[in-house]
Amino acid sequence: MKRHTFPLVTATLLLTACAAPADRPATPSASPTQTKPDAVDLSLPTDMNLVFDWEQPKNDSEAAAMDDAANFFRGIYRGVDKRTPKDAAVTAYATGDGLNYANTQINAWIDGGWTATGTLRHYDATTRSTANGTSVEVAFCADSGKFYGKEIKTGKVLRTEPGIEDFDYYKVIMVKYPTSNGAWRASKVFVETKAAKCR
């Protein structure tokens, strides 16, 4: 069973309002230690691979917001691995509706008795700042075609056939965290599931 098959994706999201070749090489994301504030541990198991295959924007604030949007998703899957939505990696990069989204995601995996395995690829990212510079929208595609649920008790990997369900399109609103370390937090998450434009 893949992440997108869980009955939670739209439960805490509002939809507002890319495709990459299947053979395009995925570039591993930068080490979490390069962008994490206050020594928050963002490490994941070796079989849980989050790839952020995108280019940094030239604007420094947008680049920082993009880095921490990636860290937000790392935090979610660290929470999945650690079986708790209260891990410091979750709360460090989320606030408000973003934190509610993270909690809902993590709790659904916990309630189902699953962890995750495989590669979840994020790509075709764009950024857009507000006029006052206090928030940045980070939008991107995600492909979970090689990312699966795994039963905690049995270790069984729950594979499904590839399809349009593998593709989601996200818009994450990042807000500047009021500390000197320049961290950004996800305050809102919007998603389009079965996103044909991401195929």
Side-chain angles (χ1 to χ4, degrees):
M1 186 174 294
K2 298 179 187 173
R3 175 199 54 78
H4 64 262
T5 62
F6 300 125
L8 61 97
V9 174
T10 57
T12 59
L13 305 183
L14 300 173
L15 180 61
T16 62
C18 88
D23 59 352
R24 180 177 173 184
T27 303
S29 57
S31 169
T33 58
Q34 295 178 359
T35 54
K36 63 184 181 182
D38 303 326
V40 172
D41 189 352
L42 289 165
S43 61
L44 295 171
T46 56
D47 67 336
M48 193 186 294
N49 186 26
L50 303 190
V51 173
F52 298 91
D53 189 10
W54 56 38
E55 294 183 3
Q56 288 283 334
K58 294 181 179 179
N59 179 282
D60 289 343
S61 291
E62 291 182 2
M66 178 181 281
D67 283 342
D68 285 345
N71 288 335
F72 169 63
F73 284 92
R74 290 187 184 102
I76 288 174
Y77 287 102
R78 180 172 170 82
V80 170
D81 175 56
K82 299 302 180 183
R83 319 304 294 162
T84 176
K86 299 184 183 299
D87 191 90
V90 179
T91 57
Y93 295 101
T95 188
D97 289 343
L99 185 57
N100 291 337
Y101 169 81
N103 289 343
T104 300
Q105 292 281 330
I106 294 166
N107 284 328
W109 287 83
I110 294 172
D111 293 345
W114 308 302
T115 186
T117 187
T119 298
L120 177 57
R121 181 168 168 258
H122 309 78
Y123 54 98
D124 286 356
T126 61
T127 54
R128 183 175 62 178
S129 300
T130 56
N132 61 12
T134 59
S135 65
V136 173
E137 176 191 273
V138 181
F140 56 89
C141 290
D143 177 2
S144 61
K146 297 180 180 179
F147 196 64
Y148 308 100
K150 182 171 70 172
E151 293 179 351
I152 296 290
K153 290 184 178 180
T154 67
K156 180 181 178 181
V157 176
L158 305 173
R159 300 181 185 274
T160 59
E161 292 298 320
I164 187 63
E165 295 85 358
D166 296 330
F167 299 95
D168 297 323
Y169 181 69
Y170 287 90
K171 290 183 179 181
V172 182
I173 307 303
M174 304 296 295
V175 293
K176 189 176 292 186
Y177 189 57
T179 66
S180 59
N181 63 25
W184 293 72
R185 284 178 160 179
S187 64
K188 293 183 183 296
V189 181
F190 305 90
V191 66
E192 176 186 345
T193 59
K194 300 181 181 180
K197 61 188 170 187
C198 292
R199 296 189 82 166

